[in-house]
mmCIF file of all heavy atoms in Angstrom:
data_model
loop_
_atom_site.group_PDB
_atom_site.id
_atom_site.type_symbol
_atom_site.label_atom_id
_atom_site.label_comp_id
_atom_site.label_asym_id
_atom_site.label_seq_id
_atom_site.Cartn_x
_atom_site.Cartn_y
_atom_site.Cartn_z
ATOM 1 N N CYS A 1 -38.668 18.596 3.215
ATOM 2 C CA CYS A 1 -37.839 19.757 2.879
ATOM 3 C C CYS A 1 -36.435 19.562 3.436
ATOM 4 O O CYS A 1 -36.246 19.411 4.644
ATOM 5 C CB CYS A 1 -38.466 21.016 3.462
ATOM 6 S SG CYS A 1 -37.433 22.481 3.319
ATOM 7 N N ILE A 2 -35.444 19.601 2.564
ATOM 8 C CA ILE A 2 -34.076 19.342 3.007
ATOM 9 C C ILE A 2 -33.519 20.506 3.812
ATOM 10 O O ILE A 2 -32.590 20.335 4.610
ATOM 11 C CB ILE A 2 -33.168 18.994 1.806
ATOM 12 C CG1 ILE A 2 -31.985 18.150 2.278
ATOM 13 C CG2 ILE A 2 -32.743 20.254 1.045
ATOM 14 C CD1 ILE A 2 -31.273 17.413 1.176
ATOM 15 N N PHE A 3 -34.103 21.703 3.657
ATOM 16 C CA PHE A 3 -33.617 22.855 4.412
ATOM 17 C C PHE A 3 -33.963 22.740 5.892
ATOM 18 O O PHE A 3 -33.337 23.401 6.724
ATOM 19 C CB PHE A 3 -34.181 24.154 3.821
ATOM 20 C CG PHE A 3 -33.253 25.321 3.963
ATOM 21 C CD1 PHE A 3 -32.143 25.451 3.157
ATOM 22 C CD2 PHE A 3 -33.493 26.308 4.905
ATOM 23 C CE1 PHE A 3 -31.277 26.519 3.287
ATOM 24 C CE2 PHE A 3 -32.635 27.392 5.047
ATOM 25 C CZ PHE A 3 -31.526 27.500 4.232
ATOM 26 N N GLU A 4 -34.954 21.895 6.242
ATOM 27 C CA GLU A 4 -35.224 21.620 7.656
ATOM 28 C C GLU A 4 -33.973 21.062 8.325
ATOM 29 O O GLU A 4 -33.650 21.416 9.462
ATOM 30 C CB GLU A 4 -36.371 20.614 7.794
ATOM 31 C CG GLU A 4 -37.741 21.129 7.386
ATOM 32 C CD GLU A 4 -38.423 21.949 8.476
ATOM 33 O OE1 GLU A 4 -37.874 22.049 9.592
ATOM 34 O OE2 GLU A 4 -39.495 22.501 8.192
ATOM 35 N N PHE A 5 -33.262 20.183 7.627
ATOM 36 C CA PHE A 5 -32.082 19.535 8.194
ATOM 37 C C PHE A 5 -30.870 20.448 8.175
ATOM 38 O O PHE A 5 -29.997 20.363 9.038
ATOM 39 C CB PHE A 5 -31.801 18.237 7.437
ATOM 40 C CG PHE A 5 -32.958 17.281 7.451
ATOM 41 C CD1 PHE A 5 -33.848 17.222 6.394
ATOM 42 C CD2 PHE A 5 -33.195 16.477 8.551
ATOM 43 C CE1 PHE A 5 -34.938 16.363 6.409
ATOM 44 C CE2 PHE A 5 -34.280 15.615 8.588
ATOM 45 C CZ PHE A 5 -35.156 15.560 7.514
ATOM 46 N N VAL A 6 -30.817 21.340 7.205
ATOM 47 C CA VAL A 6 -29.698 22.278 7.101
ATOM 48 C C VAL A 6 -29.788 23.336 8.190
ATOM 49 O O VAL A 6 -28.784 23.655 8.845
ATOM 50 C CB VAL A 6 -29.696 22.946 5.713
ATOM 51 C CG1 VAL A 6 -28.688 24.099 5.664
ATOM 52 C CG2 VAL A 6 -29.372 21.929 4.636
ATOM 53 N N TYR A 7 -30.975 23.888 8.408
ATOM 54 C CA TYR A 7 -31.065 25.101 9.220
ATOM 55 C C TYR A 7 -32.312 25.212 10.090
ATOM 56 O O TYR A 7 -32.235 25.597 11.249
ATOM 57 C CB TYR A 7 -31.003 26.317 8.279
ATOM 58 C CG TYR A 7 -31.290 27.649 8.921
ATOM 59 C CD1 TYR A 7 -30.389 28.220 9.823
ATOM 60 C CD2 TYR A 7 -32.462 28.348 8.644
ATOM 61 C CE1 TYR A 7 -30.642 29.446 10.413
ATOM 62 C CE2 TYR A 7 -32.720 29.581 9.232
ATOM 63 C CZ TYR A 7 -31.808 30.126 10.117
ATOM 64 O OH TYR A 7 -32.058 31.336 10.697
ATOM 65 N N LEU A 8 -33.493 24.869 9.560
ATOM 66 C CA LEU A 8 -34.739 25.261 10.211
ATOM 67 C C LEU A 8 -34.998 24.525 11.513
ATOM 68 O O LEU A 8 -35.386 25.127 12.513
ATOM 69 C CB LEU A 8 -35.920 25.044 9.260
ATOM 70 C CG LEU A 8 -35.876 25.811 7.936
ATOM 71 C CD1 LEU A 8 -37.127 25.501 7.120
ATOM 72 C CD2 LEU A 8 -35.759 27.306 8.182
ATOM 73 N N ALA A 9 -34.840 23.208 11.515
ATOM 74 C CA ALA A 9 -35.234 22.398 12.665
ATOM 75 C C ALA A 9 -34.179 22.446 13.771
ATOM 76 O O ALA A 9 -32.998 22.696 13.520
ATOM 77 C CB ALA A 9 -35.462 20.953 12.230
ATOM 78 N N ARG A 10 -34.637 22.206 14.995
ATOM 79 C CA ARG A 10 -33.692 22.084 16.106
ATOM 80 C C ARG A 10 -32.879 20.805 15.953
ATOM 81 O O ARG A 10 -33.398 19.785 15.482
ATOM 82 C CB ARG A 10 -34.444 22.064 17.438
ATOM 83 C CG ARG A 10 -34.671 23.441 18.001
ATOM 84 C CD ARG A 10 -35.360 23.468 19.342
ATOM 85 N NE ARG A 10 -34.898 22.504 20.327
ATOM 86 C CZ ARG A 10 -35.075 22.664 21.647
ATOM 87 N NH1 ARG A 10 -35.671 23.751 22.105
ATOM 88 N NH2 ARG A 10 -34.664 21.739 22.490
ATOM 89 N N PRO A 11 -31.605 20.822 16.364
ATOM 90 C CA PRO A 11 -30.766 19.629 16.167
ATOM 91 C C PRO A 11 -31.235 18.415 16.950
ATOM 92 O O PRO A 11 -30.926 17.277 16.571
ATOM 93 C CB PRO A 11 -29.375 20.089 16.628
ATOM 94 C CG PRO A 11 -29.617 21.302 17.465
ATOM 95 C CD PRO A 11 -30.845 21.950 16.912
ATOM 96 N N ASP A 12 -32.001 18.636 18.033
ATOM 97 C CA ASP A 12 -32.457 17.504 18.837
ATOM 98 C C ASP A 12 -33.784 16.937 18.345
ATOM 99 O O ASP A 12 -34.383 16.093 19.022
ATOM 100 C CB ASP A 12 -32.553 17.877 20.314
ATOM 101 C CG ASP A 12 -33.224 19.221 20.571
ATOM 102 O OD1 ASP A 12 -33.364 20.007 19.616
ATOM 103 O OD2 ASP A 12 -33.589 19.494 21.726
ATOM 104 N N SER A 13 -34.240 17.370 17.168
ATOM 105 C CA SER A 13 -35.461 16.821 16.588
ATOM 106 C C SER A 13 -35.153 15.654 15.654
ATOM 107 O O SER A 13 -34.050 15.545 15.108
ATOM 108 C CB SER A 13 -36.216 17.906 15.805
ATOM 109 O OG SER A 13 -36.877 18.793 16.674
ATOM 110 N N VAL A 14 -36.159 14.815 15.480
ATOM 111 C CA VAL A 14 -36.115 13.723 14.508
ATOM 112 C C VAL A 14 -37.292 13.925 13.564
ATOM 113 O O VAL A 14 -38.446 14.006 14.002
ATOM 114 C CB VAL A 14 -36.200 12.342 15.185
ATOM 115 C CG1 VAL A 14 -36.216 11.229 14.142
ATOM 116 C CG2 VAL A 14 -35.036 12.158 16.149
ATOM 117 N N ILE A 15 -37.005 14.045 12.267
ATOM 118 C CA ILE A 15 -38.035 14.306 11.263
ATOM 119 C C ILE A 15 -38.049 13.155 10.270
ATOM 120 O O ILE A 15 -37.019 12.855 9.657
ATOM 121 C CB ILE A 15 -37.765 15.632 10.531
ATOM 122 C CG1 ILE A 15 -37.830 16.802 11.511
ATOM 123 C CG2 ILE A 15 -38.753 15.842 9.391
ATOM 124 C CD1 ILE A 15 -37.416 18.132 10.904
ATOM 125 N N ASP A 16 -39.195 12.506 10.124
ATOM 126 C CA ASP A 16 -39.335 11.372 9.214
ATOM 127 C C ASP A 16 -38.248 10.319 9.454
ATOM 128 O O ASP A 16 -37.665 9.767 8.525
ATOM 129 C CB ASP A 16 -39.325 11.851 7.758
ATOM 130 C CG ASP A 16 -40.544 12.696 7.426
ATOM 131 O OD1 ASP A 16 -41.669 12.233 7.688
ATOM 132 O OD2 ASP A 16 -40.376 13.825 6.927
ATOM 133 N N GLY A 17 -37.993 10.072 10.725
ATOM 134 C CA GLY A 17 -37.009 9.061 11.105
ATOM 135 C C GLY A 17 -35.562 9.484 10.909
ATOM 136 O O GLY A 17 -34.661 8.646 10.984
ATOM 137 N N ILE A 18 -35.327 10.764 10.695
ATOM 138 C CA ILE A 18 -33.981 11.264 10.432
ATOM 139 C C ILE A 18 -33.579 12.219 11.546
ATOM 140 O O ILE A 18 -34.224 13.251 11.762
ATOM 141 C CB ILE A 18 -33.911 11.988 9.071
ATOM 142 C CG1 ILE A 18 -34.327 11.038 7.945
ATOM 143 C CG2 ILE A 18 -32.517 12.538 8.812
ATOM 144 C CD1 ILE A 18 -34.471 11.736 6.593
ATOM 145 N N SER A 19 -32.509 11.898 12.256
ATOM 146 C CA SER A 19 -31.986 12.773 13.294
ATOM 147 C C SER A 19 -31.361 14.006 12.656
ATOM 148 O O SER A 19 -30.436 13.900 11.847
ATOM 149 C CB SER A 19 -30.925 12.034 14.132
ATOM 150 O OG SER A 19 -30.126 12.942 14.855
ATOM 151 N N VAL A 20 -31.860 15.180 13.021
ATOM 152 C CA VAL A 20 -31.314 16.420 12.473
ATOM 153 C C VAL A 20 -29.854 16.579 12.876
ATOM 154 O O VAL A 20 -29.008 16.961 12.062
ATOM 155 C CB VAL A 20 -32.155 17.629 12.946
ATOM 156 C CG1 VAL A 20 -31.524 18.941 12.479
ATOM 157 C CG2 VAL A 20 -33.586 17.511 12.437
ATOM 158 N N TYR A 21 -29.532 16.264 14.105
ATOM 159 C CA TYR A 21 -28.155 16.397 14.586
ATOM 160 C C TYR A 21 -27.206 15.492 13.800
ATOM 161 O O TYR A 21 -26.121 15.925 13.374
ATOM 162 C CB TYR A 21 -28.093 16.056 16.075
ATOM 163 C CG TYR A 21 -26.712 16.168 16.671
ATOM 164 C CD1 TYR A 21 -26.150 17.415 16.929
ATOM 165 C CD2 TYR A 21 -25.971 15.030 16.977
ATOM 166 C CE1 TYR A 21 -24.881 17.520 17.479
ATOM 167 C CE2 TYR A 21 -24.705 15.130 17.528
ATOM 168 C CZ TYR A 21 -24.158 16.377 17.780
ATOM 169 O OH TYR A 21 -22.900 16.479 18.318
ATOM 170 N N GLU A 22 -27.639 14.255 13.586
ATOM 171 C CA GLU A 22 -26.761 13.319 12.871
ATOM 172 C C GLU A 22 -26.534 13.767 11.430
ATOM 173 O O GLU A 22 -25.436 13.643 10.901
ATOM 174 C CB GLU A 22 -27.347 11.907 12.897
ATOM 175 C CG GLU A 22 -26.390 10.858 12.349
ATOM 176 C CD GLU A 22 -26.865 9.440 12.573
ATOM 177 O OE1 GLU A 22 -27.895 9.242 13.265
ATOM 178 O OE2 GLU A 22 -26.218 8.509 12.057
ATOM 179 N N THR A 23 -27.560 14.327 10.801
ATOM 180 C CA THR A 23 -27.362 14.805 9.426
ATOM 181 C C THR A 23 -26.339 15.934 9.399
ATOM 182 O O THR A 23 -25.520 16.015 8.475
ATOM 183 C CB THR A 23 -28.681 15.310 8.798
ATOM 184 O OG1 THR A 23 -29.172 16.434 9.519
ATOM 185 C CG2 THR A 23 -29.719 14.221 8.771
ATOM 186 N N ARG A 24 -26.361 16.800 10.393
ATOM 187 C CA ARG A 24 -25.422 17.921 10.403
ATOM 188 C C ARG A 24 -23.996 17.456 10.662
ATOM 189 O O ARG A 24 -23.038 18.036 10.132
ATOM 190 C CB ARG A 24 -25.880 18.973 11.420
ATOM 191 C CG ARG A 24 -27.177 19.646 10.961
ATOM 192 C CD ARG A 24 -27.733 20.668 11.934
ATOM 193 N NE ARG A 24 -29.017 21.170 11.429
ATOM 194 C CZ ARG A 24 -29.841 21.951 12.106
ATOM 195 N NH1 ARG A 24 -29.519 22.350 13.336
ATOM 196 N NH2 ARG A 24 -30.989 22.357 11.564
ATOM 197 N N LEU A 25 -23.841 16.414 11.457
ATOM 198 C CA LEU A 25 -22.509 15.819 11.606
ATOM 199 C C LEU A 25 -22.003 15.295 10.272
ATOM 200 O O LEU A 25 -20.844 15.521 9.880
ATOM 201 C CB LEU A 25 -22.545 14.692 12.629
ATOM 202 C CG LEU A 25 -22.797 15.064 14.089
ATOM 203 C CD1 LEU A 25 -22.869 13.799 14.941
ATOM 204 C CD2 LEU A 25 -21.723 16.004 14.623
ATOM 205 N N ARG A 26 -22.869 14.604 9.549
ATOM 206 C CA ARG A 26 -22.460 14.031 8.266
ATOM 207 C C ARG A 26 -22.212 15.107 7.212
ATOM 208 O O ARG A 26 -21.364 14.930 6.337
ATOM 209 C CB ARG A 26 -23.505 13.018 7.801
ATOM 210 C CG ARG A 26 -23.645 11.867 8.795
ATOM 211 C CD ARG A 26 -24.378 10.678 8.253
ATOM 212 N NE ARG A 26 -24.510 9.655 9.290
ATOM 213 C CZ ARG A 26 -24.898 8.418 9.074
ATOM 214 N NH1 ARG A 26 -25.206 8.020 7.848
ATOM 215 N NH2 ARG A 26 -24.989 7.550 10.067
ATOM 216 N N MET A 27 -22.934 16.216 7.296
ATOM 217 C CA MET A 27 -22.640 17.341 6.406
ATOM 218 C C MET A 27 -21.210 17.831 6.623
ATOM 219 O O MET A 27 -20.508 18.177 5.667
ATOM 220 C CB MET A 27 -23.629 18.483 6.659
ATOM 221 C CG MET A 27 -25.044 18.207 6.199
ATOM 222 S SD MET A 27 -26.146 19.571 6.730
ATOM 223 C CE MET A 27 -27.730 18.719 6.720
ATOM 224 N N GLY A 28 -20.807 17.889 7.871
ATOM 225 C CA GLY A 28 -19.436 18.301 8.172
ATOM 226 C C GLY A 28 -18.410 17.341 7.613
ATOM 227 O O GLY A 28 -17.360 17.755 7.096
ATOM 228 N N GLU A 29 -18.706 16.048 7.687
ATOM 229 C CA GLU A 29 -17.774 15.047 7.166
ATOM 230 C C GLU A 29 -17.623 15.165 5.654
ATOM 231 O O GLU A 29 -16.497 15.147 5.126
ATOM 232 C CB GLU A 29 -18.265 13.651 7.542
ATOM 233 C CG GLU A 29 -18.206 13.363 9.032
ATOM 234 C CD GLU A 29 -18.840 12.028 9.389
ATOM 235 O OE1 GLU A 29 -19.404 11.379 8.466
ATOM 236 O OE2 GLU A 29 -18.784 11.643 10.560
#
């Protein structure tokens, strides 16, 4: 679920090998 990375999950989590925090940085870029 892509909404996990947008909002649901904590930024310090890693889901399916994907850092939530890093995805949010890239969303900003």
Side-chain angles (χ1 to χ4, degrees):
C1 172
I2 205 163
F3 212 76
E4 291 278 355
F5 303 97
V6 170
Y7 171 70
L8 301 181
R10 272 182 44 158
D12 45 345
S13 284
V14 177
I15 297 173
D16 294 308
I18 301 172
S19 162
V20 175
Y21 180 75
E22 188 171 354
T23 63
R24 292 178 184 172
L25 292 177
R26 299 195 182 192
M27 290 174 203
E29 292 174 355

